[in-house]
Amino acid sequence: METYLGEKQQASQWSPYINNGGSCLAVAGEDFAVIASDTRMSLGYSIKTRYSTKYLKITEKCSIVSSGMQADIFTLHKVLKSRAQIYEQKHGKPMSTDAVAKLVSRLLYYRRFFPYYTFNIVAGIDDEGVGCVFSYDAIGTLERVKYSASGSGSSLIEPVLDNQVALKNRNDIKKEDYKLTKENAIDLVKDAITSAGERDIYTGDFVEISIIDINGTHEDKFELRFD
Amino acid sequence: MFRTQYDSDISIYSPEGRLYQIEYAMQAVAQGSTALGLKSKTHAVVVTLMRSSDELSSHQRKIFKVDGHMGIAISGLTADARVLLKFMRNETLHHKFVYGSDLPTGEVVSSLAMKSQRNTQRWGRRPYGVGLLVIGYDGGKTHLYQTSPSGNCFSYYAQAIGSRSQSARTYLEKNFKEFPELGLEELVLHGVKALKESSGKETLTKLNVGIAVVGKEQKFEILKPNKVQTYLDQILQTEGEIEIENENENEKDQEAETLELKLD
Protein backbone atom coordinates (compact mmCIF):
# COMPACT_ATOMS: atom_id res chain seq x y z
CA MET A 1 0.00 0.00 0.00
CA GLU A 2 1.64 3.22 -1.07
CA THR A 3 1.10 6.58 0.67
CA TYR A 4 1.12 9.92 -1.28
CA LEU A 5 4.83 10.21 -0.57
CA GLY A 6 5.39 6.96 -2.41
CA GLU A 7 6.43 5.02 0.68
CA LYS A 8 5.37 1.43 1.00
CA GLN A 9 3.47 0.69 4.19
CA GLN A 10 3.50 -2.68 5.80
CA ALA A 11 -0.03 -4.04 5.79
CA SER A 12 -0.41 -7.46 7.34
CA GLN A 13 -0.73 -9.82 4.43
CA TRP A 14 -2.89 -12.90 4.58
CA SER A 15 -0.83 -16.08 5.10
CA PRO A 16 -1.99 -19.54 4.18
CA TYR A 17 0.02 -20.92 7.06
CA ILE A 18 -0.60 -21.08 10.80
CA ASN A 19 1.28 -22.92 13.48
CA ASN A 20 -0.76 -25.23 15.68
CA GLY A 21 2.16 -25.95 17.97
CA GLY A 22 3.11 -29.22 19.59
CA SER A 23 6.26 -31.26 19.93
CA CYS A 24 7.48 -34.48 18.39
CA LEU A 25 10.52 -36.62 18.98
CA ALA A 26 12.02 -39.97 18.14
CA VAL A 27 15.00 -41.98 19.34
CA ALA A 28 16.60 -44.96 17.61
CA GLY A 29 18.20 -47.82 19.48
CA GLU A 30 20.15 -50.82 18.28
CA ASP A 31 17.09 -52.89 17.42
CA PHE A 32 14.18 -50.62 18.26
CA ALA A 33 12.89 -47.10 17.83
CA VAL A 34 10.75 -44.94 20.10
CA ILE A 35 8.59 -42.20 18.61
CA ALA A 36 6.33 -39.78 20.46
CA SER A 37 4.23 -36.67 19.97
CA ASP A 38 1.94 -34.59 22.10
CA THR A 39 -1.69 -34.08 21.07
CA ARG A 40 -2.40 -30.45 21.88
CA MET A 41 -3.56 -28.27 19.00
CA SER A 42 -3.27 -24.54 19.65
CA LEU A 43 -3.97 -21.32 17.82
CA GLY A 44 -2.30 -18.25 19.21
CA TYR A 45 -2.77 -18.40 22.97
CA SER A 46 -5.83 -20.64 22.81
CA ILE A 47 -6.16 -24.37 22.78
CA LYS A 48 -8.28 -25.60 19.88
CA THR A 49 -8.37 -29.18 21.10
CA ARG A 50 -6.56 -31.30 23.60
CA TYR A 51 -6.56 -34.33 21.35
CA SER A 52 -5.56 -34.06 17.73
CA THR A 53 -3.23 -36.81 16.63
CA LYS A 54 0.11 -35.99 15.03
CA TYR A 55 1.11 -39.63 14.74
CA LEU A 56 0.55 -42.10 11.95
CA LYS A 57 1.53 -45.74 11.85
CA ILE A 58 2.48 -46.45 8.25
CA THR A 59 3.59 -50.05 8.55
CA GLU A 60 4.29 -52.40 11.42
CA LYS A 61 7.92 -51.33 11.17
CA CYS A 62 7.57 -47.62 10.53
CA SER A 63 5.70 -44.59 11.87
CA ILE A 64 5.71 -40.84 11.36
CA VAL A 65 5.06 -37.88 13.66
CA SER A 66 4.65 -34.34 12.37
CA SER A 67 4.41 -30.92 13.96
CA GLY A 68 3.38 -27.62 12.41
CA MET A 69 0.06 -26.84 10.78
CA GLN A 70 -2.58 -29.39 11.58
CA ALA A 71 -4.33 -29.09 8.20
CA ASP A 72 -1.14 -29.92 6.34
CA ILE A 73 -0.26 -32.69 8.80
CA PHE A 74 -3.68 -34.24 8.31
CA THR A 75 -3.43 -34.10 4.52
CA LEU A 76 0.15 -35.31 4.37
CA HIS A 77 -0.73 -38.26 6.58
CA LYS A 78 -3.75 -39.08 4.40
CA VAL A 79 -1.63 -39.04 1.26
CA LEU A 80 1.06 -41.12 2.94
CA LYS A 81 -1.44 -43.71 4.11
CA SER A 82 -2.85 -44.08 0.59
CA ARG A 83 0.60 -44.30 -0.97
CA ALA A 84 1.59 -47.02 1.50
CA GLN A 85 -1.46 -49.05 0.50
CA ILE A 86 -0.75 -48.56 -3.20
CA TYR A 87 2.82 -49.75 -2.67
CA GLU A 88 1.63 -52.81 -0.77
CA GLN A 89 -0.87 -53.69 -3.47
CA LYS A 90 1.72 -53.25 -6.21
CA HIS A 91 4.62 -55.07 -4.57
CA GLY A 92 2.80 -57.58 -2.42
CA LYS A 93 4.62 -56.50 0.73
CA PRO A 94 4.67 -53.48 3.07
CA MET A 95 7.06 -50.57 2.45
CA SER A 96 10.44 -50.75 4.09
CA THR A 97 11.32 -47.90 6.43
CA ASP A 98 13.92 -46.61 3.97
CA ALA A 99 11.30 -46.54 1.25
CA VAL A 100 8.88 -44.64 3.48
CA ALA A 101 11.59 -42.14 4.38
CA LYS A 102 12.38 -41.50 0.73
CA LEU A 103 8.71 -41.26 -0.19
CA VAL A 104 8.07 -38.65 2.50
CA SER A 105 11.01 -36.65 1.21
CA ARG A 106 9.65 -36.76 -2.34
CA LEU A 107 6.10 -35.93 -1.31
CA LEU A 108 7.38 -32.89 0.53
CA TYR A 109 9.60 -31.71 -2.31
CA TYR A 110 6.74 -32.14 -4.74
CA ARG A 111 5.27 -29.16 -2.94
CA ARG A 112 8.49 -27.17 -3.11
CA PHE A 113 6.73 -23.98 -4.16
CA PHE A 114 3.82 -24.17 -1.72
CA PRO A 115 5.19 -26.41 1.02
CA TYR A 116 3.39 -28.49 3.58
CA TYR A 117 3.88 -26.62 6.83
CA THR A 118 4.96 -29.80 8.55
CA PHE A 119 8.10 -30.75 10.42
CA ASN A 120 8.27 -34.49 10.22
CA ILE A 121 10.12 -37.29 11.89
CA VAL A 122 9.98 -40.83 10.55
CA ALA A 123 11.16 -43.65 12.81
CA GLY A 124 11.25 -47.40 12.59
CA ILE A 125 13.28 -50.52 11.95
CA ASP A 126 15.33 -50.76 8.77
CA ASP A 127 15.79 -53.88 6.65
CA GLU A 128 18.60 -55.11 8.86
CA GLY A 129 16.51 -54.77 12.00
CA VAL A 130 18.42 -51.72 13.22
CA GLY A 131 16.47 -48.79 14.66
CA CYS A 132 16.46 -45.64 12.56
CA VAL A 133 15.17 -42.09 12.72
CA PHE A 134 14.84 -39.72 9.76
CA SER A 135 14.35 -36.01 10.19
CA TYR A 136 13.12 -33.52 7.60
CA ASP A 137 12.60 -29.88 6.97
CA ALA A 138 9.42 -28.54 5.38
CA ILE A 139 10.56 -29.22 1.83
CA GLY A 140 11.90 -32.72 2.32
CA THR A 141 15.57 -32.45 3.18
CA LEU A 142 16.28 -35.94 4.45
CA GLU A 143 18.81 -37.02 7.03
CA ARG A 144 19.12 -40.26 8.90
CA VAL A 145 19.96 -39.66 12.55
CA LYS A 146 19.97 -41.40 15.88
CA TYR A 147 17.40 -39.06 17.40
CA SER A 148 15.43 -35.98 16.49
CA ALA A 149 12.91 -33.52 17.89
CA SER A 150 10.64 -31.11 16.06
CA GLY A 151 7.93 -28.60 16.86
CA SER A 152 7.49 -25.85 19.40
CA GLY A 153 9.27 -27.79 22.13
CA SER A 154 12.15 -28.98 19.96
CA SER A 155 14.61 -26.41 21.33
CA LEU A 156 13.84 -27.73 24.81
CA ILE A 157 14.05 -31.42 23.86
CA GLU A 158 16.94 -31.54 21.41
CA PRO A 159 19.64 -30.52 23.96
CA VAL A 160 18.39 -33.18 26.34
CA LEU A 161 18.71 -35.83 23.64
CA ASP A 162 22.14 -34.49 22.65
CA ASN A 163 23.25 -35.03 26.20
CA GLN A 164 21.51 -38.31 26.96
CA VAL A 165 21.60 -40.20 23.66
CA ALA A 166 24.68 -38.83 21.90
CA LEU A 167 26.42 -38.30 25.22
CA LYS A 168 27.65 -34.89 24.14
CA ASN A 169 29.34 -32.60 26.65
CA ARG A 170 29.56 -35.28 29.26
CA ASN A 171 32.64 -35.93 31.30
CA ASP A 172 31.15 -38.61 33.50
CA ILE A 173 30.52 -41.41 31.03
CA LYS A 174 32.47 -43.14 28.28
CA LYS A 175 30.72 -43.76 24.98
CA GLU A 176 32.09 -47.28 24.71
CA ASP A 177 30.55 -48.28 28.03
CA TYR A 178 27.15 -46.97 27.21
CA LYS A 179 24.32 -48.80 25.48
CA LEU A 180 20.83 -47.41 25.13
CA THR A 181 18.34 -50.05 26.27
CA LYS A 182 14.71 -50.00 25.25
CA GLU A 183 13.50 -49.24 28.77
CA ASN A 184 15.96 -46.36 29.13
CA ALA A 185 14.95 -44.97 25.76
CA ILE A 186 11.25 -45.08 26.60
CA ASP A 187 11.84 -43.36 29.94
CA LEU A 188 14.05 -40.79 28.28
CA VAL A 189 11.46 -39.97 25.62
CA LYS A 190 8.71 -39.74 28.23
CA ASP A 191 10.79 -37.49 30.46
CA ALA A 192 11.94 -35.29 27.60
CA ILE A 193 8.47 -34.56 26.32
CA THR A 194 7.11 -34.15 29.85
CA SER A 195 9.81 -31.58 30.54
CA ALA A 196 8.97 -29.79 27.32
CA GLY A 197 5.37 -29.71 28.49
CA GLU A 198 6.46 -27.95 31.67
CA ARG A 199 7.93 -24.94 29.92
CA ASP A 200 6.47 -24.83 26.42
CA ILE A 201 2.89 -23.56 26.45
CA TYR A 202 2.09 -25.30 23.20
CA THR A 203 3.05 -28.75 24.46
CA GLY A 204 0.74 -30.62 26.79
CA ASP A 205 -2.50 -32.58 27.27
CA PHE A 206 -1.66 -36.11 26.03
CA VAL A 207 1.31 -37.90 24.53
CA GLU A 208 1.08 -40.72 22.02
CA ILE A 209 4.20 -42.85 22.30
CA SER A 210 5.03 -45.80 20.16
CA ILE A 211 7.75 -48.43 20.45
CA ILE A 212 8.79 -50.14 17.23
CA ASP A 213 10.84 -53.30 17.17
CA ILE A 214 11.17 -56.51 15.22
CA ASN A 215 7.88 -57.76 16.64
CA GLY A 216 5.90 -54.78 15.44
CA THR A 217 4.56 -51.58 16.91
CA HIS A 218 3.31 -51.10 20.45
CA GLU A 219 1.28 -47.94 20.95
CA ASP A 220 0.69 -46.21 24.24
CA LYS A 221 -0.73 -42.96 25.56
CA PHE A 222 -0.19 -40.95 28.71
CA GLU A 223 -1.20 -37.60 30.14
CA LEU A 224 0.74 -34.39 30.34
CA ARG A 225 -0.15 -31.18 32.08
CA PHE A 226 -3.42 -29.62 31.00
CA ASP A 227 -2.33 -26.04 31.76
CA MET B 1 -23.04 -73.37 -28.84
CA PHE B 2 -22.43 -73.28 -32.55
CA ARG B 3 -21.54 -70.45 -34.87
CA THR B 4 -24.45 -68.48 -36.23
CA GLN B 5 -24.59 -65.58 -38.60
CA TYR B 6 -25.39 -63.16 -35.81
CA ASP B 7 -22.29 -63.57 -33.69
CA SER B 8 -19.59 -61.81 -35.69
CA ASP B 9 -19.86 -58.54 -33.78
CA ILE B 10 -20.95 -57.40 -30.34
CA SER B 11 -23.28 -54.88 -31.90
CA ILE B 12 -25.43 -57.46 -33.72
CA TYR B 13 -28.57 -58.83 -32.11
CA SER B 14 -29.86 -62.25 -33.06
CA PRO B 15 -33.51 -62.58 -34.08
CA GLU B 16 -34.23 -64.03 -30.63
CA GLY B 17 -32.87 -60.86 -29.07
CA ARG B 18 -29.55 -62.31 -27.90
CA LEU B 19 -26.10 -60.85 -28.12
CA TYR B 20 -23.98 -63.89 -28.84
CA GLN B 21 -20.64 -62.22 -28.21
CA ILE B 22 -21.64 -61.57 -24.64
CA GLU B 23 -22.74 -65.16 -24.25
CA TYR B 24 -19.43 -66.33 -25.68
CA ALA B 25 -17.67 -64.11 -23.17
CA MET B 26 -19.65 -65.80 -20.42
CA GLN B 27 -18.41 -69.08 -21.83
CA ALA B 28 -14.88 -67.86 -21.14
CA VAL B 29 -15.88 -67.57 -17.50
CA ALA B 30 -17.30 -71.07 -17.55
CA GLN B 31 -13.97 -72.38 -18.84
CA GLY B 32 -12.06 -71.14 -15.82
CA SER B 33 -11.64 -73.42 -12.83
CA THR B 34 -14.20 -73.35 -10.06
CA ALA B 35 -14.57 -70.43 -7.71
CA LEU B 36 -17.33 -70.34 -5.15
CA GLY B 37 -18.50 -68.00 -2.45
CA LEU B 38 -20.83 -68.25 0.52
CA LYS B 39 -21.75 -66.07 3.43
CA SER B 40 -23.19 -66.14 6.91
CA LYS B 41 -24.42 -63.24 9.02
CA THR B 42 -20.89 -62.55 10.24
CA HIS B 43 -18.49 -63.84 7.60
CA ALA B 44 -18.13 -64.28 3.86
CA VAL B 45 -15.84 -66.87 2.34
CA VAL B 46 -14.50 -67.68 -1.13
CA VAL B 47 -12.99 -71.02 -2.03
CA THR B 48 -11.23 -71.66 -5.33
CA LEU B 49 -9.54 -74.45 -7.20
CA MET B 50 -6.21 -73.23 -8.53
CA ARG B 51 -5.18 -74.98 -11.71
CA SER B 52 -1.62 -75.35 -12.85
CA SER B 53 -1.06 -75.90 -16.56
CA ASP B 54 1.63 -78.47 -15.98
CA GLU B 55 3.79 -79.88 -13.21
CA LEU B 56 6.50 -77.30 -13.73
CA SER B 57 4.33 -74.22 -13.37
CA SER B 58 2.83 -72.61 -10.31
CA HIS B 59 -0.85 -72.70 -9.51
CA GLN B 60 -2.87 -69.86 -10.95
CA ARG B 61 -3.89 -67.47 -8.18
CA LYS B 62 -7.59 -66.73 -8.20
CA ILE B 63 -8.15 -64.70 -5.06
CA PHE B 64 -7.11 -61.08 -4.70
CA LYS B 65 -7.45 -58.49 -1.97
CA VAL B 66 -9.16 -55.27 -2.96
CA ASP B 67 -9.16 -53.50 0.38
CA GLY B 68 -9.18 -54.40 4.06
CA HIS B 69 -12.88 -55.20 3.95
CA MET B 70 -13.23 -56.62 0.45
CA GLY B 71 -11.76 -59.17 -1.91
CA ILE B 72 -12.50 -61.08 -5.09
CA ALA B 73 -12.27 -64.57 -6.53
CA ILE B 74 -12.04 -64.80 -10.31
CA SER B 75 -12.89 -67.25 -13.02
CA GLY B 76 -11.98 -66.72 -16.65
CA LEU B 77 -9.34 -64.57 -18.30
CA THR B 78 -6.91 -63.65 -15.54
CA ALA B 79 -5.49 -60.75 -17.50
CA ASP B 80 -8.92 -59.14 -17.72
CA ALA B 81 -9.39 -59.78 -14.01
CA ARG B 82 -6.26 -57.79 -13.28
CA VAL B 83 -7.67 -54.76 -15.04
CA LEU B 84 -10.89 -54.97 -13.04
CA LEU B 85 -8.93 -55.56 -9.85
CA LYS B 86 -6.89 -52.43 -10.45
CA PHE B 87 -10.10 -50.51 -11.04
CA MET B 88 -11.66 -51.78 -7.81
CA ARG B 89 -8.54 -51.03 -5.80
CA ASN B 90 -8.47 -47.54 -7.17
CA GLU B 91 -12.13 -46.92 -6.36
CA THR B 92 -11.85 -48.22 -2.80
CA LEU B 93 -8.62 -46.34 -2.11
CA HIS B 94 -10.01 -43.12 -3.53
CA HIS B 95 -13.14 -43.41 -1.41
CA LYS B 96 -11.04 -44.07 1.67
CA PHE B 97 -8.89 -41.06 0.93
CA VAL B 98 -11.75 -38.67 0.32
CA TYR B 99 -14.35 -39.89 2.83
CA GLY B 100 -12.24 -41.72 5.39
CA SER B 101 -14.42 -44.84 5.33
CA ASP B 102 -14.68 -48.19 3.60
CA LEU B 103 -16.38 -48.11 0.22
CA PRO B 104 -19.52 -50.24 0.43
CA THR B 105 -19.15 -53.45 -1.57
CA GLY B 106 -22.41 -52.89 -3.43
CA GLU B 107 -21.24 -49.53 -4.74
CA VAL B 108 -18.00 -50.80 -6.15
CA VAL B 109 -19.80 -53.73 -7.76
CA SER B 110 -22.25 -51.29 -9.36
CA SER B 111 -19.37 -49.27 -10.77
CA LEU B 112 -17.85 -52.49 -12.04
CA ALA B 113 -21.12 -53.46 -13.69
CA MET B 114 -21.31 -50.06 -15.43
CA LYS B 115 -17.73 -50.48 -16.59
CA SER B 116 -18.41 -53.98 -17.90
CA GLN B 117 -21.53 -52.85 -19.73
CA ARG B 118 -19.61 -50.11 -21.52
CA ASN B 119 -17.51 -52.74 -23.20
CA THR B 120 -20.59 -54.38 -24.63
CA GLN B 121 -21.70 -51.26 -26.45
CA ARG B 122 -18.59 -49.60 -27.74
CA TRP B 123 -16.88 -49.84 -31.08
CA GLY B 124 -13.68 -51.81 -31.02
CA ARG B 125 -14.06 -53.05 -27.44
CA ARG B 126 -14.81 -56.53 -26.28
CA PRO B 127 -16.51 -57.67 -23.07
CA TYR B 128 -14.25 -58.56 -20.14
CA GLY B 129 -13.90 -62.34 -20.22
CA VAL B 130 -13.92 -62.82 -16.48
CA GLY B 131 -16.50 -63.38 -13.78
CA LEU B 132 -15.86 -62.15 -10.27
CA LEU B 133 -17.19 -63.25 -6.94
CA VAL B 134 -16.87 -60.22 -4.68
CA ILE B 135 -17.02 -60.71 -0.94
CA GLY B 136 -17.04 -57.88 1.54
CA TYR B 137 -18.04 -56.76 5.02
CA ASP B 138 -19.34 -53.24 5.48
CA GLY B 139 -22.25 -51.53 7.14
CA GLY B 140 -22.40 -54.37 9.63
CA LYS B 141 -23.40 -56.85 6.92
CA THR B 142 -21.67 -59.46 4.81
CA HIS B 143 -21.90 -59.27 1.03
CA LEU B 144 -21.42 -61.68 -1.84
CA TYR B 145 -21.84 -60.48 -5.40
CA GLN B 146 -21.29 -62.06 -8.76
CA THR B 147 -20.30 -59.94 -11.75
CA SER B 148 -20.26 -61.20 -15.30
CA PRO B 149 -19.06 -60.00 -18.72
CA SER B 150 -22.60 -58.92 -19.56
CA GLY B 151 -22.47 -56.23 -16.90
CA ASN B 152 -25.10 -57.93 -14.77
CA CYS B 153 -24.42 -58.21 -11.11
CA PHE B 154 -26.41 -59.96 -8.46
CA SER B 155 -26.17 -60.49 -4.74
CA TYR B 156 -26.11 -64.07 -3.53
CA TYR B 157 -26.30 -66.15 -0.37
CA ALA B 158 -23.94 -68.55 -2.11
CA GLN B 159 -22.74 -68.99 -5.68
CA ALA B 160 -20.27 -70.98 -7.74
CA ILE B 161 -18.78 -70.10 -11.12
CA GLY B 162 -16.38 -71.74 -13.52
CA SER B 163 -16.09 -75.24 -14.90
CA ARG B 164 -18.07 -77.98 -13.18
CA SER B 165 -19.57 -75.31 -10.95
CA GLN B 166 -23.05 -76.84 -11.21
CA SER B 167 -22.11 -79.62 -8.79
CA ALA B 168 -20.89 -77.06 -6.27
CA ARG B 169 -24.00 -74.99 -6.84
CA THR B 170 -26.19 -78.03 -6.18
CA TYR B 171 -24.39 -78.61 -2.89
CA LEU B 172 -24.80 -74.95 -1.95
CA GLU B 173 -28.47 -74.97 -2.89
CA LYS B 174 -29.01 -77.94 -0.60
CA ASN B 175 -27.29 -76.35 2.37
CA PHE B 176 -27.55 -72.58 2.08
CA LYS B 177 -30.48 -72.26 4.50
CA GLU B 178 -28.23 -73.10 7.44
CA PHE B 179 -25.39 -70.74 6.43
CA PRO B 180 -26.56 -67.50 8.13
CA GLU B 181 -26.06 -68.77 11.68
CA LEU B 182 -22.81 -70.64 11.11
CA GLY B 183 -19.45 -69.73 12.56
CA LEU B 184 -16.42 -69.13 10.38
CA GLU B 185 -14.95 -72.61 10.65
CA GLU B 186 -18.13 -74.39 9.65
CA LEU B 187 -18.73 -71.95 6.82
CA VAL B 188 -15.29 -72.60 5.36
CA LEU B 189 -15.83 -76.34 5.70
CA HIS B 190 -19.03 -76.07 3.67
CA GLY B 191 -17.11 -74.13 1.06
CA VAL B 192 -14.41 -76.76 0.81
CA LYS B 193 -17.00 -79.55 0.66
CA ALA B 194 -18.75 -77.70 -2.16
CA LEU B 195 -15.44 -77.35 -3.98
CA LYS B 196 -14.85 -81.05 -3.62
CA GLU B 197 -18.09 -81.64 -5.53
CA SER B 198 -16.69 -79.79 -8.54
CA SER B 199 -13.12 -80.95 -8.29
CA GLY B 200 -13.80 -84.03 -10.37
CA LYS B 201 -10.73 -86.26 -10.60
CA GLU B 202 -8.40 -83.62 -9.20
CA THR B 203 -7.25 -84.21 -5.63
CA LEU B 204 -7.59 -81.23 -3.35
CA THR B 205 -4.28 -80.23 -1.78
CA LYS B 206 -3.14 -77.16 0.09
CA LEU B 207 -1.41 -75.99 -3.06
CA ASN B 208 -4.38 -76.02 -5.38
CA VAL B 209 -7.11 -74.88 -2.98
CA GLY B 210 -7.41 -71.19 -2.22
CA ILE B 211 -9.53 -69.87 0.64
CA ALA B 212 -10.15 -66.31 1.71
CA VAL B 213 -12.34 -64.92 4.48
CA VAL B 214 -13.71 -61.55 5.51
CA GLY B 215 -16.19 -60.55 8.15
CA LYS B 216 -16.92 -59.02 11.50
CA GLU B 217 -13.58 -58.35 13.22
CA GLN B 218 -11.91 -60.21 10.37
CA LYS B 219 -10.05 -58.26 7.75
CA PHE B 220 -9.94 -59.76 4.28
CA GLU B 221 -7.36 -62.48 4.52
CA ILE B 222 -6.14 -65.15 2.12
CA LEU B 223 -5.45 -68.24 4.20
CA LYS B 224 -1.96 -69.68 4.19
CA PRO B 225 -1.50 -73.20 2.73
CA ASN B 226 -1.00 -74.77 6.16
CA LYS B 227 -4.30 -73.35 7.36
CA VAL B 228 -5.97 -74.61 4.19
CA GLN B 229 -4.55 -78.05 4.95
CA THR B 230 -6.33 -78.13 8.31
CA TYR B 231 -9.67 -77.75 6.55
CA LEU B 232 -8.75 -80.33 3.94
CA ASP B 233 -7.77 -82.75 6.68
CA GLN B 234 -11.16 -82.34 8.31
CA ILE B 235 -12.92 -83.05 5.03
CA LEU B 236 -10.73 -86.00 4.12
CA GLN B 237 -10.95 -87.47 7.61
CA THR B 238 -14.70 -87.47 7.56
CA GLU B 239 -14.57 -89.26 4.25
CA GLY B 240 -12.05 -91.79 5.48
CA GLU B 241 -9.24 -90.85 3.12
CA ILE B 242 -6.15 -89.38 4.67
CA GLU B 243 -3.21 -88.52 2.48
CA ILE B 244 0.08 -88.18 4.25
CA GLU B 245 2.56 -86.02 2.37
CA ASN B 246 5.07 -85.39 5.12
CA GLU B 247 8.18 -86.13 3.06
CA ASN B 248 7.17 -83.88 0.22
CA GLU B 249 5.66 -81.17 2.40
CA ASN B 250 8.73 -78.97 2.89
CA GLU B 251 9.89 -79.30 -0.70
CA LYS B 252 6.49 -78.36 -2.01
CA ASP B 253 6.26 -75.35 0.30
CA GLN B 254 9.54 -74.03 -1.03
CA GLU B 255 8.46 -74.69 -4.58
CA ALA B 256 5.23 -72.90 -3.98
CA GLU B 257 7.07 -69.86 -2.62
CA THR B 258 9.69 -69.60 -5.34
CA LEU B 259 7.25 -70.16 -8.17
CA GLU B 260 4.65 -67.71 -6.82
CA LEU B 261 4.28 -65.28 -9.68
CA LYS B 262 3.40 -61.76 -8.67
CA LEU B 263 0.25 -61.13 -10.61
CA ASP B 264 -0.82 -57.72 -9.34
Side-chain angles (χ1 to χ4, degrees):
Chain A
M1 185 173 80
E2 284 199 18
T3 66
Y4 69 92
L5 280 177
E7 305 154 353
K8 281 218 171 95
Q9 274 193 351
Q10 288 284 30
S12 56
Q13 230 234 337
W14 179 83
S15 167
Y17 295 118
I18 51 166
N19 193 342
N20 294 117
S23 310
C24 303
L25 72 153
V27 173
E30 203 182 329
D31 56 356
F32 65 91
V34 185
I35 190 169
S37 59
D38 77 327
T39 64
R40 177 175 288 178
M41 183 188 146
S42 327
L43 188 58
Y45 286 116
S46 311
I47 295 178
K48 283 288 163 188
T49 176
R50 295 196 187 276
Y51 185 78
S52 172
T53 187
K54 296 207 254 294
Y55 160 84
L56 174 70
K57 181 172 96 165
I58 303 164
T59 70
E60 279 306 314
K61 301 256 168 78
C62 182
S63 301
I64 183 173
V65 288
S66 320
S67 61
M69 185 165 88
Q70 196 258 7
D72 278 354
I73 294 170
F74 183 65
T75 304
L76 179 65
H77 285 191
K78 266 174 78 173
V79 173
L80 205 46
K81 200 164 176 210
S82 292
R83 292 298 295 261
Q85 187 170 336
I86 291 171
Y87 182 103
E88 198 167 329
Q89 281 171 178
K90 201 169 179 185
H91 298 91
K93 63 181 170 93
M95 283 181 93
S96 67
T97 306
D98 291 290
V100 172
K102 206 64 187 283
L103 176 64
V104 170
S105 170
R106 280 185 42 242
L107 284 175
L108 293 171
Y109 195 82
Y110 193 71
R111 290 275 296 260
R112 172 69 177 81
F113 299 109
F114 183 10
Y116 286 110
Y117 194 116
T118 59
F119 300 98
N120 306 287
I121 306 175
V122 167
I125 303 285
D126 71 11
D127 291 326
E128 274 106 53
V130 178
C132 55
V133 171
F134 296 88
S135 72
Y136 302 81
D137 63 8
I139 54 167
T141 307
L142 173 61
E143 192 189 2
R144 180 170 172 171
V145 289
K146 280 260 177 294
Y147 59 88
S148 180
S150 79
S152 54
S154 63
S155 46
L156 298 163
I157 297 173
E158 193 86 34
V160 173
L161 300 180
D162 283 335
N163 183 269
Q164 296 291 316
V165 180
L167 304 173
K168 291 200 176 136
N169 306 310
R170 287 181 80 151
N171 299 314
D172 59 331
I173 205 166
K174 283 204 173 61
K175 254 197 182 144
E176 305 84 58
D177 303 331
Y178 183 74
K179 193 178 146 179
L180 187 65
T181 66
K182 202 188 294 183
E183 292 67 37
N184 284 347
I186 296 169
D187 286 340
L188 174 61
V189 164
K190 281 186 172 171
D191 289 346
I193 199 162
T194 310
S195 306
E198 293 287 322
R199 294 288 183 176
D200 176 28
I201 58 173
Y202 298 111
T203 303
D205 298 330
F206 301 99
V207 171
E208 286 176 318
I209 181 170
S210 194
I211 300 108
I212 307 164
D213 60 23
I214 200 88
N215 302 319
T217 308
H218 173 76
E219 291 166 2
D220 209 356
K221 190 169 148 179
F222 63 92
E223 280 185 16
L224 285 184
R225 294 178 68 125
F226 284 82
D227 65 357
Chain B
M1 239 173 262
F2 44 87
R3 266 189 73 80
T4 70
Q5 49 180 294
Y6 304 107
D7 67 353
S8 53
D9 199 86
I10 186 97
S11 56
I12 302 175
Y13 274 103
S14 81
E16 299 96 47
R18 292 157 71 167
L19 287 166
Y20 278 108
Q21 280 298 312
I22 297 179
E23 297 190 19
Y24 294 166
M26 278 149 75
Q27 258 301 100
V29 176
Q31 296 296 335
S33 63
T34 320
L36 59 97
L38 56 162
K39 67 177 192 186
S40 69
K41 279 211 185 108
T42 54
H43 293 89
V45 167
V46 281
V47 184
T48 63
L49 183 64
M50 299 188 283
R51 265 192 211 136
S52 78
S53 48
D54 56 60
E55 273 179 36
L56 292 173
S57 79
S58 64
H59 296 269
Q60 175 65 68
R61 256 180 77 186
K62 287 164 69 74
I63 303 177
F64 300 94
K65 179 174 167 179
V66 172
D67 200 351
H69 65 294
M70 192 193 308
I72 61 171
I74 67 165
S75 187
L77 299 175
T78 313
D80 283 5
R82 255 197 287 182
V83 172
L84 297 181
L85 174 67
K86 196 163 187 212
F87 173 77
M88 291 174 83
R89 281 180 171 170
N90 217 33
E91 294 285 291
T92 48
L93 192 60
H94 181 265
H95 185 95
K96 198 151 66 170
F97 182 82
V98 173
Y99 301 104
S101 66
D102 292 337
L103 180 59
T105 317
E107 286 185 33
V108 85
V109 169
S110 297
S111 311
L112 204 52
M114 274 303 297
K115 189 176 159 70
S116 300
Q117 192 280 340
R118 244 171 252 136
N119 276 35
T120 66
Q121 210 172 9
R122 202 151 284 194
W123 186 83
R125 305 295 300 268
R126 60 162 177 83
Y128 291 105
V130 63
L132 309 183
L133 286 173
V134 185
I135 53 167
Y137 183 80
D138 58 78
K141 293 206 185 105
T142 52
H143 303 281
L144 168 64
Y145 291 94
Q146 183 202 355
T147 70
S148 84
S150 57
N152 279 331
C153 66
F154 289 107
S155 176
Y156 285 88
Y157 296 114
Q159 173 67 304
I161 56 175
S163 64
R164 293 193 291 258
S165 57
Q166 186 50 55
S167 330
R169 221 172 296 130
T170 315
Y171 177 94
L172 293 171
E173 274 166 24
K174 267 196 220 134
N175 294 287
F176 81 96
K177 291 237 165 71
E178 57 176 83
F179 291 166
E181 302 300 327
L182 291 181
L184 179 59
E185 300 285 311
E186 294 151 312
L187 198 65
V188 175
L189 272 175
H190 271 297
V192 180
K193 281 193 195 140
L195 187 71
K196 191 154 197 320
E197 301 288 319
S198 352
S199 60
K201 290 206 196 100
E202 230 173 310
T203 348
L204 297 186
T205 71
K206 67 184 179 187
L207 292 179
N208 66 6
V209 173
I211 306 177
V213 302
V214 72
K216 193 170 177 184
E217 276 137 42
Q218 167 75 54
K219 278 203 176 314
F220 183 85
E221 187 193 333
I222 303 176
L223 302 188
K224 296 235 157 43
N226 288 334
K227 184 84 174 118
V228 172
Q229 187 64 50
T230 62
Y231 290 110
L232 291 176
D233 289 338
Q234 287 182 59
I235 306 291
L236 296 175
Q237 257 177 359
T238 55
E239 298 195 358
E241 328 158 32
I242 301 175
E243 289 187 55
I244 302 165
E245 291 178 336
N246 284 329
E247 304 95 52
N248 299 332
E249 215 162 72
N250 287 331
E251 279 175 56
K252 274 201 176 157
D253 266 342
Q254 280 172 0
E255 274 173 39
E257 273 158 31
T258 51
L259 290 180
E260 257 288 321
L261 299 172
K262 297 230 161 73
L263 293 169
D264 48 0

